[in-house]
């Protein structure tokens, strides 16, 4: 008698006798491969154009390089000889270091690296750029065998005897460095070790706090302006609310640059708003632009839709019967709103707030155009380090700090509110 | 704020009209008086204005015209939260971010009751709906029937004198619905609450209510206790709407007191009771319940009119037999007979004679 039993030894078997788990896996594999094939082009695109470059940038924040070469590869002999020297001794390095420098410098000169090297050291100790530039050809003329190189260097420029210069070179003799991060946190290496800079020289801390602070203010402004709008939209019949929603989205159809420029025209000293202000009979023109106020006004406007949309989509799902129920139970309008309606909109507030805040923290164009001196964000400084100053390492370090700060805030937010509570649509 | 003359009345609608768009009246001239403690059901087809009436009573819609009084006091200008009316919504409207106990405590908190008093009342209300151990749960963790009970408990916990329920059992399955119908009436009667209940399930209306108001087209068509509504419908809408019903059309041939004869369009003559016909020659629609049709001629009086009928279909339904006949030109004349040992089972094609007591056949408006 054939036994009609599909289990042997506790394992479920499919109709053809293979274990059920295995045939299920096989059936699902085709689906998985299909899914993978569908996302493959995008995945590849993101890897090539986004993940790699970002990873490379992040690496740059710790790599100790000039151009594409590591400093210890450009100054191999100097690095070895400096190991023996202690900057704390208060004396210039010995003859051997100068001889090594003569050899390495000539090689760097041949590879046209010596000016870059100077600029690189200059980030940390100003003055070294001009020293390296000036010394270019004279150093190549020196004879490494002469035995009196220290004097020869000092003859070319007496700055070659400065201990802090040599200390800088020694501090950069590794392949990796934390100096960029020190700079990003407004710290520096001194002869007495790592220290914070003088309070009035702490640029980046101030910038970071300002970026976070202004972003917070902007987020609160969008919430204050967006909440009632979203509520109204959610309350209206579908036809009207769709029309009004298009008006909310209208700004998206104009380029960011155009919108920011429009704010420039509106807010400037001789602009529309100030003209109306004067026409109303006031004496002094308001300074609404090239300061923090200008950034807050323009960015609140630009980021408003990102607050309204998540709020709207959450409010849309709250039936009006909740408010009615609250009122029938004896709650006044205010109590019904605060105790019943508002708590149910927190997922929307969370989503909108997170979205606006993170977008604001990374904003660049608007603070650049309307921010003036005290309204710039950290992204503007990063851009400056990339383009004008060429200090990619510091730019990368600042970018990394920004990334970590945002991730940390996200983590805190998750602990406080719970990301599951965030609803985007 | 004048006390109304009508002292027995607790809820009163007087000449109330309502229009949403300024063009059509959704509620037309509503007059209704309810004594304290009554369980009144508003029954009617979709769109007949039941919810609208309830919302006007609760204060979420304003009457376009007329006056609504509660315990003799006009409440037209009192906001909903001051009316002290308990309400059960169709989707329950339990606050999802609060636990069951917090939901129940909400009306007590806004009334500024002390903590211990609150807890005690919440506990009592939960026990009343047999949900005592569910206080810590969220509404989403409850089944439909359990949510329903909590909604009921929440509407009652602050001891309102009037409770409104808008199709509270609409989302439940049949068995649970029947159970909850029983629970609701039990609780309402025990607490002596005045209840206005909306449904479009007629069985629900008939089984639960002291009186039923049948709505159609923005008007109350009939307001009567269930048995009267079923047995003595005042017009053909009510007759059609409540229960199963056979109708025949014709003209009044003679009237004498509470008897009349009707000449049907097929030429046959039948006996009926005039309800809202006044004179010979009026067109009328007569209405007769399937279970009141007699197929045994011996049980009718000698001079009763009878009709010839042909059996078209016989359906065995367990407790009853349902037979479809061709009578006086219509093919959907239905009779119901009890499944008794001596009951005949009719065969399709069989020719029979049917009749009825004149008072069971009501001559209504055409
Ligand atoms: N807010 C509103 N605005 C405009 N018209 C409305 C509104 N609410 C209801 N109506 C209209 O009023 C009429 C009566 O509606 P109502 O909700 O009172 O019916 P109902 O008897 O409760 O029906 P149902 O049994 O389907 O719940 C309907 O024609 C409806 O379209
Ligand atoms: Mg309704």
């Amino acid at each position: 008698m054939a036994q009609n039993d599909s289990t042997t030894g506790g394992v479920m078997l499919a109709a053809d006798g293979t274990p059920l788990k295995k045939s299920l896996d096989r059936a699902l594999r085709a689906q998985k491969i299909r899914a993978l094939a569908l996302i493959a082009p995008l995945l590849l695109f993101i890897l090539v154009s986004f993940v790699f470059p970002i990873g490379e940038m992040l690496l740059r924040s710790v790599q100790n390089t000039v151009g594409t070469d590591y400093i210890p590869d450009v100054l191999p002999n100097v690095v070895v000889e400096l190991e023996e020297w202690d900057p704390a001794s208060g004396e210039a390095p010995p003859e051997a270091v100068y001889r090594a420098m003569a050899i390495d410098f000539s090689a760097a000169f041949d590879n046209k690296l010596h000016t870059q090297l100077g600029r690189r050291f200059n980030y940390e100790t100003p003055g070294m750029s001009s020293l390296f530039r000036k010394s270019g050809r004279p150093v190549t003329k020196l004879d490494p065998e002469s035995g009196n190189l220290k004097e020869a260097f000092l003859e070319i420029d007496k700055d070659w005897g400065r201990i802090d210069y040599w200390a800088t070179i020694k501090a950069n003799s590794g392949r990796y460095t934390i100096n960029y991060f020190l700079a990003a946190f407004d710290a520096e290496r001194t002869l007495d070790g790592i220290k914070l800079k003088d309070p009035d020289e702490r640029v980046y801390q101030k910038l970071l706090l300002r970026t976070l602070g202004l972003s917070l203010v902007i987020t609160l402004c969008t919430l204050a302006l967006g909440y009632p709008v979203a509520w109204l939209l959610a309350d209206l019949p579908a036809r009207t609310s769709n029309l009004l929603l298009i008006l909310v989205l209208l700004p998206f159809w104009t380029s960011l640059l155009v919108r920011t420029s429009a704010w420039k025209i509106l807010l400037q000293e001789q602009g529309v708003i100030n003209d109306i202000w004067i026409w109303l009979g006031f004496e002094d023109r308001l300074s609404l632009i090239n300061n923090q106020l200008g950034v807050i006004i323009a960015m609140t406007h630009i980021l408003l839709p990102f607050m309204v949309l998540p709020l709207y989509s959450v409010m849309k799902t709250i039936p009006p019967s909740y408010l009615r129920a609250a009122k029938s139970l004896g709650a006044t309008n205010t109590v019904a709103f605060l105790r019943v309606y508002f708590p149910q909109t927190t997922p929307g507030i969370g989503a909108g707030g997170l979205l606006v805040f993170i977008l604001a923290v990374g904003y660049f164009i608007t603070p650049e155009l309307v921010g003036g001196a005290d309204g710039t964000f950290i992204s503007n400084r990063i851009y400056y380090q990339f383009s004008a100053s060429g200090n990619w390492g510091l730019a990368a370090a600042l970018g990394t700090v920004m990334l970590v700060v945002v991730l940390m805030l996200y983590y805190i937010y998750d602990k406080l509110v719970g990301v599951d509570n965030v609803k985007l649509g | 704020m004048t006390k109304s003359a009508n002292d027995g009345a607790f809820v009163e609608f007087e000449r109330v009209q309502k229009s949403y768009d300024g063009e059509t009246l959704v509620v037309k001239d509503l007059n209704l008086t309810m004594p304290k403690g009554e369980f009144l059901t508003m029954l009617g087809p979709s769109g007949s204005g039941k919810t609208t009436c309830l919302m006007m009573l609760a204060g979420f819609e304003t009457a376009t015209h007329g006056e609504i009084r509660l315990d003799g006091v006009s409440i037209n200008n009192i906001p909903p939260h001051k009316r002290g009316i308990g309400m059960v919504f169709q989707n329950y409207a339990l606050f999802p971010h609060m636990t069951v106990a917090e939901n129940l405590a909400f009306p007590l908190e806004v009334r500024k009751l002390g903590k211990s008093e609150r807890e005690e009342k919440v506990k009592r209300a939960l026990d009343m709906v047999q949900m005592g151990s569910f206080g810590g749960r969220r509404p989403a963790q409850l089944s439909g029937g359990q949510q329903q009970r909590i909604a009921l408990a929440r509407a009652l916990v602050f001891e309102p004198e009037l409770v409104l329920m808008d199709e509270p059992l609409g989302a439940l399955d049949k068995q649970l619905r029947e159970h909850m119908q029983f629970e609701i009436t039990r609780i309402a009667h025990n607490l002596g609450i005045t209840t206005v209940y909306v449904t479009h399930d007629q069985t629900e209306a008939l089984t639960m209510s002291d009186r039923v108001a049948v709505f159609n087209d923005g008007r109350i068509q009939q307001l009567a206790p269930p048995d009267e509504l079923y047995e003595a419908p005042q017009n053909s809408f009510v007759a059609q709407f409540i229960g199963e019903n056979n109708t025949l059309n014709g003209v009044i041939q003679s009237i004498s007191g509470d008897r009349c004869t009707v000449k049907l369009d097929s030429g046959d003559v039948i006996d009926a009771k005039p309800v809202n016909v006044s004179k010979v020659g009026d067109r009328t629609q007569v209405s007769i319940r399937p279970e009141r049709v007699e197929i045994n001629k011996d049980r009718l009086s000698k001079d009763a009119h009878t009709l010839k009928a042909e059996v078209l279909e016989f359906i065995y339904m367990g407790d009853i037999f349902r037979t479809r006949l061709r009578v006086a030109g219509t093919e959907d004349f239905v009779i119901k007979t009890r499944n008794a040992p001596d009951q005949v089972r009719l065969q399709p094609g069989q020719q029979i004679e049917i009749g009825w007591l004149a008072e069971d056949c009501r001559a209504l408006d055409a």
Side-chain angles (χ1 to χ4, degrees):
Chain A
M1 268 222 64
Q3 216 185 348
N4 198 2
D5 188 0
S6 56
T7 57
T8 24
V11 180
M12 286 294 278
L13 296 185
D16 61 358
T18 51
L20 195 55
K21 226 176 162 73
K22 208 161 148 197
S23 46
L24 181 68
D25 280 349
R26 199 183 310 141
L28 288 181
R29 194 173 314 139
Q31 278 181 26
K32 281 183 192 154
I33 290 175
R34 207 175 92 93
L36 201 65
L38 286 175
I39 62 163
L42 179 60
L43 198 65
L44 208 67
F45 174 76
I46 288 179
L47 273 179
V48 170
S49 68
F50 196 70
V51 177
F52 276 144
I54 291 226
E56 236 241 330
M57 269 333 297
L58 294 185
L59 261 184
R60 261 176 208 269
S61 64
V62 289
Q63 277 172 340
N64 205 6
T65 54
V66 270
T68 52
D69 301 299
Y70 288 101
I71 289 178
D73 294 345
V74 180
L75 301 173
N77 300 305
V78 176
V79 166
V80 174
E81 294 299 340
L82 272 177
E83 266 171 40
E84 305 290 314
W85 176 66
D86 179 12
S89 67
E91 286 180 23
E95 174 69 13
V97 174
Y98 284 94
R99 185 170 53 237
M101 181 54 94
I103 298 167
D104 292 346
F105 198 100
S106 301
F109 184 84
D110 294 341
N111 294 327
K112 301 191 167 52
L113 278 175
H114 69 290
T115 48
Q116 281 188 48
L117 204 55
R119 227 184 301 136
R120 168 68 187 76
F121 291 131
N122 201 62
Y123 296 147
E124 286 163 43
T125 314
M128 288 183 76
S129 179
S130 65
L131 174 65
F132 273 59
R133 200 161 1 93
K134 262 192 286 179
S135 313
R137 204 159 291 279
V139 172
T140 56
K141 299 256 170 61
L142 298 176
D143 176 10
E145 307 301 327
S146 76
N148 204 3
L149 283 164
K150 187 168 180 175
E151 266 170 43
F153 265 99
L154 289 174
E155 223 161 87
I156 294 169
D157 196 320
K158 64 174 180 352
D159 280 353
W160 279 111
R162 282 182 60 165
I163 297 171
D164 57 338
Y165 281 17
W166 284 107
T168 302
I169 296 173
K170 184 176 161 76
N172 281 300
S173 54
R175 293 181 151 248
Y176 296 95
T177 174
I178 57 159
N179 287 1
Y180 293 122
F181 279 100
L182 290 180
F185 285 111
D186 291 323
E188 62 186 349
R189 283 176 199 275
T190 63
L191 293 177
D192 312 328
I194 296 168
K195 271 199 192 136
L196 280 183
K197 289 184 184 164
D198 291 340
D200 52 338
E201 282 177 30
R202 292 180 196 163
V203 199
Y204 298 112
Q205 280 183 4
K206 216 171 75 188
L207 214 50
L208 186 66
L209 287 180
R210 180 200 292 165
T211 304
L212 295 176
L214 283 182
S215 299
L216 189 68
V217 172
I218 290 162
T219 309
L220 293 178
C221 287
T222 55
L223 179 63
L225 294 177
Y227 197 95
V229 174
W231 196 11
L232 179 72
L233 287 178
D235 220 30
L236 287 173
R239 198 132 56 89
T240 338
S241 73
N242 280 342
L243 188 74
L244 291 179
L245 208 56
I246 289 177
L247 293 182
V248 170
L249 291 178
L250 208 59
F252 278 149
W253 301 344
T254 325
S255 126
L256 174 63
L257 203 58
V258 173
R259 272 178 286 157
T260 307
S261 311
W263 275 114
K264 237 178 138 92
I265 294 169
L266 287 174
L267 296 176
Q268 64 194 331
E269 197 98 332
Q270 304 299 325
V272 182
I273 291 177
N274 262 313
D275 285 348
I276 293 173
W277 184 253
I278 296 296
W279 180 79
L280 285 174
F282 292 93
E283 291 282 301
D284 303 315
R285 286 181 179 266
L286 305 166
S287 62
L288 299 168
I289 202 163
N290 295 331
N291 54 22
Q292 300 192 353
L293 185 63
V295 176
I296 293 172
I297 294 175
M299 281 181 62
T300 298
H301 167 251
I302 289 164
L303 293 174
L304 199 54
F306 293 101
M307 183 60 93
V308 174
L309 287 181
L311 278 176
Y312 170 76
S313 77
V314 167
M315 289 174 176
K316 197 77 200 160
T317 62
I318 303 174
S321 60
Y322 286 128
L323 271 182
R324 290 188 161 185
K327 285 184 212 167
S328 83
L329 294 171
T332 59
N333 286 336
T334 325
V335 172
F337 172 78
L338 288 179
R339 300 255 344 250
V340 173
Y341 195 80
F342 183 79
Q344 293 189 60
T345 59
T346 44
I349 297 177
L354 205 60
L355 203 60
V356 170
F357 186 80
I358 289 180
L359 281 173
V361 161
Y363 243 57
F364 168 72
I365 291 183
T366 310
E368 182 77 23
L369 290 184
V370 303
D374 69 347
T376 49
F377 278 23
I378 203 153
S379 50
N380 303 100
R381 194 69 196 173
I382 294 176
Y383 174 73
Y384 166 81
Q385 294 296 0
F386 261 114
S387 62
S389 152
N391 190 351
W392 287 27
L394 180 54
L398 286 171
T400 311
V401 169
M402 230 29 235
L403 186 65
V404 171
V405 166
V406 169
L407 286 179
M408 251 158 51
L409 288 174
Y410 182 79
Y411 175 80
I412 294 170
Y413 181 91
D414 183 30
K415 284 282 158 235
L416 289 181
V417 185
V419 170
D420 301 347
N421 272 332
V422 165
K423 211 168 154 194
L424 282 174
Chain B
M1 291 236 189
T2 49
K3 277 269 181 187
S4 114
N6 192 346
D7 263 341
F10 185 57
V11 179
E12 284 172 281
F13 283 83
E14 191 180 308
R15 316 218 55 183
V16 172
Q17 295 184 322
K18 172 71 185 177
S19 172
Y20 283 108
D21 52 7
E23 285 168 17
T24 50
L25 282 175
V26 171
V27 173
K28 302 165 185 163
D29 193 29
L30 182 81
N31 293 288
L32 179 72
T33 335
M34 278 176 76
K36 208 164 187 147
E38 184 176 55
F39 195 115
L40 182 130
T41 297
M42 293 179 172
L43 175 68
S46 196
S48 55
K50 307 179 297 286
T51 300
T52 305
C53 285
L54 218 57
M55 288 302 162
M56 287 192 289
L57 189 50
F60 297 119
E61 296 289 350
T62 48
T64 318
H65 176 82
E67 198 173 34
I68 303 172
R69 281 188 293 269
L70 188 61
D71 209 6
V73 179
S74 167
I75 54 171
N76 283 30
N77 295 316
I78 298 181
H81 68 270
K82 290 197 181 141
R83 296 193 181 190
I85 298 176
M87 186 145 186
V88 180
F89 291 81
Q90 180 164 13
N91 61 0
Y92 314 137
L94 295 175
F95 307 139
H97 57 291
M98 299 183 191
T99 64
V100 164
E102 284 166 352
N103 262 284
L104 262 65
F106 183 81
L108 306 175
E109 268 171 52
V110 299
R111 285 179 172 71
K112 308 227 167 15
L113 262 65
K115 190 163 189 288
S116 55
E117 199 179 349
R118 258 185 353 232
E119 278 168 4
E120 193 203 307
K121 289 197 175 191
V122 167
K123 187 179 168 326
R124 211 175 331 131
L126 281 176
D127 287 341
M128 178 181 68
V129 293
Q130 290 147 28
M131 294 280 293
S133 56
F134 290 82
R137 293 221 198 158
R138 295 275 162 132
Q141 298 165 318
L142 301 177
S143 75
Q146 291 169 334
Q147 291 184 29
Q148 216 294 318
R149 284 157 195 250
I150 299 302
L152 183 64
R154 189 180 66 175
L156 296 175
V157 71
F158 60 99
E159 292 158 14
E161 289 185 283
L162 175 62
V163 175
L164 314 181
M165 306 191 195
D166 192 358
E167 300 190 36
L169 306 180
L172 304 185
D173 65 48
K174 188 166 172 293
Q175 213 161 5
L176 197 56
R177 199 158 66 214
E178 280 167 8
H179 180 70
M180 285 307 297
Q181 287 169 8
F182 171 74
E183 292 278 280
I184 289 175
T185 37
R186 179 181 63 87
I187 291 171
H189 280 136
N190 283 354
L191 300 180
I193 308 165
T194 315
T195 312
V196 182
Y197 191 96
V198 167
T199 180
H200 44 228
D201 179 338
Q202 45 156 305
T203 330
E204 199 164 290
L206 295 180
T207 51
M208 296 176 79
S209 328
D210 297 327
R211 282 195 302 164
V212 179
V214 179
F215 272 66
N216 188 38
D217 195 24
R219 284 180 205 279
I220 294 183
Q221 301 291 330
Q222 187 170 354
L223 174 60
D227 53 347
E228 192 181 324
L229 207 60
Y230 185 82
E231 283 166 31
Q234 284 303 316
N235 57 39
S236 46
F237 174 81
V238 178
Q240 300 271 13
F241 193 74
I242 309 282
E244 206 174 3
N245 184 58
N246 292 305
T247 58
L248 298 166
N249 292 303
V251 179
I252 301 290
Q253 203 179 36
S254 69
I255 303 187
S256 63
D258 60 351
R259 288 285 179 280
C260 68
T261 54
V262 177
K263 187 165 196 281
L264 299 180
D265 295 347
S266 61
D268 301 290
V269 174
I270 56 167
D271 302 311
K273 173 183 172 155
V275 177
N276 49 10
V277 289
S278 50
K279 58 183 193 298
V280 172
D282 277 359
R283 272 206 73 78
T284 180
Q285 187 173 59
V286 301
S287 138
I288 171 134
R289 299 285 178 203
E291 67 275 15
R292 296 294 170 96
V293 178
E294 189 54 68
I295 54 173
N296 189 342
K297 234 183 127 182
D298 304 339
R299 296 218 196 117
L300 295 169
S301 64
K302 284 281 164 292
D303 58 346
H305 288 98
T306 57
L307 288 175
K308 289 198 177 353
E310 182 193 344
V311 177
L312 295 175
E313 199 178 4
F314 175 84
I315 301 168
Y316 177 84
M317 292 177 74
D319 54 344
I320 56 160
F321 304 143
R322 193 184 141 89
T323 315
R324 194 160 62 83
L325 307 173
R326 178 184 292 132
V327 173
T330 69
E331 299 206 336
D332 46 14
F333 196 97
V334 171
I335 61 173
K336 286 182 189 161
T337 43
R338 206 163 56 84
N339 183 358
D342 59 341
Q343 189 62 265
V344 288
R345 300 192 180 192
L346 297 166
Q347 300 299 320
Q350 202 176 340
Q351 301 288 332
I352 56 169
E353 241 176 296
I354 58 168
W356 46 74
L357 298 176
E359 61 263 32
D360 285 338
C361 178
R362 301 171 66 81
L364 304 167
D365 52 312

